[in-house]
Every structure is written in structure tokens, then in C-alpha cells.
Amino acid sequence: MTNSATIHVIGAGLAGSEAAHQIAQAGVPVVLHEMRPTRGTDAHKTDGFAELVCSNSFRSDDWENNAVGLLHEEMRRAGSLILAAGDKHKLPAGGALAVDRDAFSAEVTARLSENPLVTIVRGEIDGLPPADWANVVIATGPLTSPALSAALAKLTGEDSLAFFDAIAPVIHRDSIDTSIAWFQSRYDKAGPGGTGADYLNCPMTKPEYEAFIDALLAGEKTSFKEWEASTPYFDGCLPVEVMAERGRDTLRYGPMKPVGLDDPRTGRWPHAVVQLRQDNALATLWNMVGFQTKLKHADQVRVFRTIPGLENAEFARLGGLHRNTYLNSPKLLDRSLRLKADPRLRFAGQITGVEGYVESAAMGLLAGRFAAAQVLGHETDAPPATTALGALLDHITGGHLVSEDEERSSARSFQPMNINYGLLPDLAQTPTHDQNGARLKGPERGREKKRAMSRRAIADLTRWLDANAAHSARQSA
């Protein structure tokens, strides 16, 4: 393998780490560039690879009934480093896959550092990659450096689009009052490594909830700079005070919904609930689920201590905001994530317009496979649209519909997207009966449809993986 066949990956977050792993697994040398600690960011605290700066949850791990769980399973079958590290360092979290963030990052860092095909270079790429880098994966994530962002904007002719991801607070476990808060997963559902009692729940009566909403709305928020003022939020990661501004009951139907949670003091569902999820393996830190916020730190402490059970809460980390920059991928990228204006550059992760840890890593997995296949001379087809991997790729590279007005102007409506069943093609025939022949009714029919779509996805992914393995073997023979 010549030096010209070496692939450069810029950024060692979830996507870049996954891309580098996939490239090395294909037998291709890779140089992994990470600017930390030479240049830090407002969100990162360490120089470790795949550092989780927001939640420690990869969300649902139920592959038959949840689209993100399906994505987990597809990535596992494709040899994902991120899922392997997540499974190794998972924490109890009901039906979700949550990880010990420090152990997870250390695992990813060690696996890549020990790989003889991976060369790690610390330092910022302060512009477009050098012209003699023939094959590059840019996975710089939501905090792409200003110099690289400016160079990409100049190259593409597109104005940057950005929004704010909000970070939820983390609380010391021993400061939570468990005479009020109780352990229970919603509907007692147990997930990977869980028991069905994996969340701490802080109940609220109606008067307590109303007082909390008033305090939340009145709290002093972080002010944006002039150039940031028009930056939109992503609906999947809204700050709690922004949700409260949309209606007094919005939180009760969102992260504070009380359904499936029985307060042992009353035997009933409370009016509202604040849930906390274990954040580290020692169970000494717990994060506030869905409580991303732009409240100033002093007001976070004041307002969140009005929550029953958190009156004496000690915060290991308070919430905050970080900017997220992403491409208008439907216009700029081809089906193998290459930049149309400069095909030697390939993109992966949140910068492509996906949202979420797993989705970002999934684009790293595909970008790494595509890049390695190109070097090896057997460019691979994209995974089928019936798979979660293929559906997500299809959405960001062409699934977004562009209006005539948008075509004629610089307006852009493309927004980041989580994986969901709505991105997958519909079934040729929707199930009407269960496996025992009984007719499906109401919600059960919808659940069976999801299961059927998931089973189809796994079958189609298996064929895709087998076909690519066979093709690679023929090329190597």
C-alpha cells in the first residue's frame, strides 16, 4: 500500500473514530487527525476520542420496535467500534443503551491507538486539506473549527447553517432525596443491563409543576451574540425553557410526562415527573433526562432545586449550549458522501445533517467503508434504502424535497434528522394478522408493522454485507 493510498480522517469524535476503524478493518492505512488538545472547544472537557459532550445515552436499544435500536443492530453487524465500546461499557437505563462516558471514550481511544494501521496526529487542520491528500474524510462534527468552516463555505459557495445543541445538567447521586424520588423505568421496562428500575423519578403535583414553569420562564437565559440570534434550534434537542414557552403543558407531554410511573407515596401517576438517568459506572452521577437548557448557571441551580427531591442537589455539571454547523447535504454531497465540488473530500457525522450520537457514528461507518473501497478499487454500493443505514443516507443525500422557491433562491429548509421509521420505504403489504393468525387491531397493528420493517431491514442488510464481503474477496484473490 503506497502513501498515496493512505486515507486521512479529520476529527476523532464518534464519526471520525468509526470511519478510521472501518478503514483500518479493510486493511487500508489511515491517519486520524484530532485538534484537541492543541485547540479545545467550548463543549469538550478531555482530549479523548469519541467524547460524549451531551447525554450519555444512545437511546433505545430495541431493534425490533424502535428505529434507533434497529440502527444499533445494523451497526453491530457491520462491525462498529462505537457500538462495541458502548456494549462493553453500558449502564442500566431501562430500554435504552447508556454508557459510562469516560470508560467508553477510553475504550475507543485505546482501540484506535493500538491499531498498527492507524496513525494519530494531534493538531488543527486550519483550512482545506492539502492537495496531495487524495482521499479525505471530514468528520469535524458540530464544532468544526472556524478556519475549516470558512474554507468549506468558500469552496461550496454555501452559507453555513447552524443551530444550538443544549447540554443537560449532571447531579451527584448522594444529594438526591430518595425519600421523595424513586427508582422505576417507565412501565417497569428493563433494557440492556437494566432491571426495570433504572431511572430516579422526581414527582410534581399540579401546583408544584405550575410554580416550576413560572420559575423556568422567568429565569435569566444565556444571551446570544448578534450573529447567533437567528440560529434555529433542532426540535429533538430543545432547551426546556424553549419548550415551556411553546405552552404550559408542553413539558408534561415531553420529557416530564408522568405516564407509566407510579409514585409509591400515592400509588398514582403524578402530574409531572423529572427523570434522572445514571451517568457513570459508579452510579455517583445522574443526568437530568431531556433537561437541556440555556438558563444561566445561577438560575439553573435556583430553578432546578425547586424540583421535589432535588432541593439539595449538588451539580457536577450545569447545562449549556454549543453551536452545531452542518452542510446542505442534499445539494452538496453525492451518494457516497463525497463533496460534489471536490470529490476527494468525503464527509461524515453531524456535519452531514444527521442528528444524534448513533446517527453520526453511522455516517462515519459508511464514509469509512466507502473511502476504503475506493482505495481498494472496488467501490461499494450504498446499503439498501430498506435498512436504517440506507434510509438515513438517502435522506441526507436526496431524501429532502426542495421547493421551487428554494431552487430559485438561497433559502434552505434542510434540517438535521434522527433515524425514524418514516425514512424507510413502506412495506409492500402491511401486516393484518399476528404470528398466531389473530387479526391485529389499533396500536398493535402499528407495532407489528415496525417489527416487520425491522426484520426486513436486517435481512436486506445481511445480504448487502455478504455481497460486499464476497466482492472484496474476489478483488483480493
Side-chain angles (χ1 to χ4, degrees):
M1 194 73 65
T2 64
N3 288 337
S4 63
T6 298
I7 299 172
H8 293 262
V9 176
I10 304 175
L14 290 162
S17 296
E18 185 65 65
H21 172 75
Q22 293 292 328
I23 293 164
Q25 288 299 103
V28 177
V30 56
V31 179
L32 180 58
H33 302 264
E34 172 53 51
M35 69 178 185
R36 293 174 294 123
T38 304
R39 182 187 178 99
T41 76
D42 292 334
H44 291 89
K45 303 302 181 185
T46 76
D47 62 0
F49 298 165
E51 180 185 343
L52 305 181
V53 300
C54 191
S55 167
N56 70 325
S57 174
F58 289 171
R59 311 191 328 271
S60 175
D61 201 45
D62 181 355
W63 76 265
E64 285 193 297
N65 298 285
N66 187 286
V68 73
L70 173 61
L71 188 57
H72 289 181
E73 184 62 20
E74 291 183 7
M75 292 175 67
R76 287 187 180 104
R77 294 180 183 229
S80 167
L81 169 61
I82 295 303
L83 264 293
D87 288 337
K88 184 175 180 179
H89 298 287
K90 64 188 176 185
L91 299 173
L97 174 60
V99 305
D100 181 318
R101 66 178 78 227
D102 293 332
F104 168 80
S105 176
E107 178 78 18
V108 174
T109 305
R111 289 277 299 274
L112 290 170
S113 299
E114 295 163 2
N115 193 313
L117 285 173
V118 179
T119 300
I120 295 166
V121 176
R122 298 282 186 169
E124 181 184 2
I125 306 300
D126 57 359
L128 290 179
D132 60 348
W133 293 6
N135 201 329
V136 182
V137 176
I138 298 176
T140 45
L143 298 171
T144 300
S145 70
L148 181 54
S149 294
L152 292 173
K154 183 177 180 180
L155 175 64
T156 62
E158 297 281 340
D159 293 331
S160 294
L161 284 184
F163 63 92
F164 285 90
D165 276 341
I167 301 171
V170 173
I171 297 174
H172 289 281
R173 162 68 179 80
D174 58 9
S175 69
I176 301 169
D177 185 353
T178 51
S179 70
I180 297 174
W182 77 98
F183 289 93
Q184 185 186 7
S185 301
R186 205 176 299 280
Y187 295 110
D188 302 309
K189 184 176 180 180
T195 65
D198 304 322
Y199 291 80
L200 267 171
N201 302 281
C202 300
M204 283 188 180
T205 63
K206 184 174 182 179
E208 288 168 338
Y209 175 79
E210 294 294 335
F212 174 75
I213 295 298
D214 288 339
L216 197 61
L217 294 173
E220 190 175 1
K221 283 79 173 177
T222 302
S223 58
F224 296 148
K225 297 175 183 177
E226 183 179 352
W227 61 270
E228 298 171 328
S230 62
T231 301
Y233 294 107
F234 171 58
D235 278 349
C237 201
L238 285 174
V240 285
E241 58 276 3
V242 173
M243 284 189 273
E245 290 168 356
R246 295 185 173 186
R248 295 189 70 84
D249 282 329
T250 300
L251 286 169
R252 287 189 62 240
Y253 291 94
M256 294 180 69
K257 63 184 177 184
V259 298
L261 297 167
D262 303 305
D263 187 340
R265 298 182 303 165
T266 65
R268 301 187 304 272
W269 295 354
H271 184 73
V273 163
V274 174
Q275 287 196 302
L276 296 102
R277 180 176 54 231
Q278 186 177 335
D279 200 73
N280 66 343
L282 296 176
T284 55
L285 301 176
W286 290 65
N287 63 62
M288 299 177 69
V289 178
F291 262 64
Q292 301 87 359
T293 180
K294 63 172 183 173
L295 284 173
K296 288 194 172 181
H297 285 181
D299 275 10
Q300 287 184 47
V301 174
R302 178 182 60 80
V303 173
F304 294 153
R305 283 181 177 168
T306 68
I307 297 169
L310 302 184
E311 292 90 345
N312 298 306
E314 294 296 331
F315 295 87
R317 183 189 71 192
L318 289 163
L321 296 174
H322 61 272
R323 198 178 84 165
N324 190 343
T325 304
Y326 64 99
L327 297 170
N328 189 6
S329 293
K331 284 188 174 183
L332 301 179
L333 302 184
D334 69 13
R335 289 267 295 149
S336 64
L337 298 170
R338 286 177 299 202
L339 189 67
K340 295 173 184 176
D342 188 350
R344 74 190 178 97
L345 305 181
R346 205 179 304 263
F347 287 82
Q350 279 188 257
I351 198 169
T352 65
V354 296
E355 176 63 21
Y357 288 154
V358 182
E359 290 88 340
S360 296
M363 292 303 101
L365 185 151
L366 291 178
R369 281 176 164 259
F370 291 151
Q374 180 179 331
V375 167
L376 295 171
H378 53 82
E379 294 195 31
T380 184
D381 292 332
T386 50
T387 65
L389 283 165
L392 201 56
L393 178 67
D394 279 1
H395 174 74
I396 64 170
T397 61
H400 171 70
L401 297 178
V402 179
S403 68
E404 291 183 7
D405 287 343
E406 189 176 347
E407 287 282 11
R408 291 194 296 265
S409 70
S410 61
R412 291 151 45 115
S413 61
F414 176 63
Q415 291 288 317
M417 178 65 73
N418 292 116
I419 185 62
N420 62 82
Y421 283 108
L423 299 182
L424 277 69
D426 209 348
L427 296 167
Q429 185 174 357
T430 301
T432 57
H433 294 76
D434 66 17
Q435 295 178 345
N436 298 319
R439 180 173 290 278
L440 296 168
K441 298 180 180 179
E444 183 54 37
R445 187 169 184 173
R447 286 192 288 269
E448 183 55 37
K449 179 180 179 181
K450 290 179 179 178
R451 287 191 284 267
M453 294 177 79
S454 292
R455 291 191 291 267
R456 177 188 66 179
I458 293 300
D460 289 352
L461 180 84
T462 300
R463 284 190 285 270
W464 179 73
L465 290 172
D466 289 346
N468 278 282
H471 184 64
S472 178
R474 288 194 298 270
Q475 290 292 113
S476 300

